Amino acid sequence: MTPFAEPPATQYDLRFSLLGVPVRIHPFFWLVGLLLGLRGDLTHVKIEELLIWIAVLFVSILVHEFGHAAAVIFYRDRPWIILYGFGGLCCHHPSRHDPWRQIVISFAGPAAGFLLLGFVLSAIHAAEHQVGTVQLGLVPYPVFEPFESANLNFLIVQLIWINFFWGLINLLPIYPLDGGQIAREAFLLSDAGRGVERSLWLSVIAAAGVAVFGVVVLNEIFIALFFGYLAYNSWTILQRYRGFGGGFGGGF
Ligand SMILES: [Zn+2]
């Protein structure tokens, strides 16, 4: 994901460097991860499953952000990564703005998640357990022949779930998801004057559509609230952008 805004540093931040990329983890990352893990039946919380969930979330979001970081490094800029309450950010100061370059960087995050998913499925196959798909609406969703350990099965189910859907959701043409960035650059390539405005309109409509889908079809109030907020967020950016007579240069 790309920033709403870079969160301020706190004394509880965890900082380290991985493969030469500085990583900072804001305490809200763990808090929101915990809350997401506690969804469902609160009277039967399994500590092992909660810990596995947090570990899977941490690794998956880190892999996604390192996908962006690898593309940034490929273009000889210096990335840094932040994990916070809204997920992850991979930031850099672009040495120059180039739509195709930005599209590659935005796409590299979801692509890294799909690679991790492919690696997990290959590992299951290598352990001589069958891998297949079930049709989930329009998309084929990966399933596997379970192992003996319930915790291992839980770990794999979460890894598949998050890397599959996190990648797909991130490719929706909604700000500030990766797909929203890709849509903006694609619109800019075809119409530099009105590209940003058009991509914001698309973002409002797509986010509102997903919010309605979340309530009506999935009956998932969390999805509805999240995308309802993104629709509102895009709408306010659009109003501000028009207020500036189109002079708002992006950069959020
Ligand atoms: Zn991303």
Side-chain angles (χ1 to χ4, degrees):
M1 226 194 244
T2 316
F4 285 109
E6 211 173 305
T10 79
Q11 57 174 319
Y12 302 107
D13 286 356
L14 185 65
R15 290 170 186 269
F16 58 91
S17 176
L18 189 60
L19 303 171
V21 178
V23 178
R24 172 162 80 88
I25 305 173
H26 189 274
F28 278 11
F29 174 78
W30 308 111
L31 188 68
V32 172
L34 195 68
L35 290 175
L36 288 173
L38 285 173
R39 288 178 70 210
D41 189 354
L42 286 182
T43 55
H44 293 92
V45 176
K46 292 184 185 152
I47 294 298
E48 294 106 323
E49 292 193 350
L50 196 58
L51 292 176
I52 290 171
W53 158 255
I54 300 255
V56 166
L57 187 72
F58 174 70
V59 169
S60 301
I61 294 188
L62 204 58
V63 164
H64 176 105
E65 299 308 332
F66 264 91
H68 291 308
V72 168
I73 291 168
F74 176 78
Y75 290 122
R76 298 181 191 283
D77 283 327
R78 294 171 73 88
W80 66 97
I81 288 172
I82 300 164
L83 304 191
Y84 69 141
F86 286 111
L89 300 175
C90 179
C91 307
H92 72 290
H93 298 298
S95 44
R96 69 185 175 91
H97 180 256
D98 175 85
W100 279 113
R101 202 178 259 213
Q102 192 52 52
I103 287 172
V104 170
I105 292 170
S106 294
F107 189 72
F114 293 139
L115 272 179
L116 176 59
L117 178 63
F119 174 78
V120 169
L121 296 177
S122 305
I124 296 169
H125 184 72
E128 294 180 353
H129 277 239
Q130 281 186 9
V131 176
T133 57
V134 289
Q135 204 64 23
L136 213 66
L138 292 174
V139 287
Y141 185 74
V143 286
F144 65 99
E145 183 189 345
F147 290 84
E148 264 180 46
S149 157
N151 281 339
L152 179 60
N153 290 329
F154 182 79
L155 172 86
I156 297 170
V157 165
Q158 301 302 322
L159 266 174
I160 292 176
W161 187 85
I162 198 165
N163 284 288
F164 188 84
F165 284 109
W166 186 251
L168 282 190
I169 286 172
N170 255 302
L171 288 175
L172 293 171
I174 296 170
Y175 281 50
L177 305 179
D178 295 320
Q181 316 284 331
I182 294 171
R184 179 184 60 194
E185 301 304 323
F187 274 109
L188 281 173
L189 279 172
S190 66
D191 184 347
R194 302 201 50 179
V196 173
E197 196 177 335
R198 286 187 177 153
S199 66
L200 282 166
W201 269 117
L202 177 64
S203 178
V204 171
I205 293 164
V210 176
V212 171
F213 182 79
V215 177
V216 176
V217 180
L218 304 176
N219 202 15
E220 282 273 2
I221 193 70
F222 179 79
I223 291 177
L225 284 175
F226 182 70
F227 283 96
Y229 174 71
L230 292 186
Y232 169 76
N233 183 55
S234 295
W235 175 254
T236 55
I237 296 168
L238 181 64
Q239 298 312 311
R240 214 162 57 210
Y241 182 80
R242 295 169 123 197
F244 281 111
F248 181 78
F252 49 88

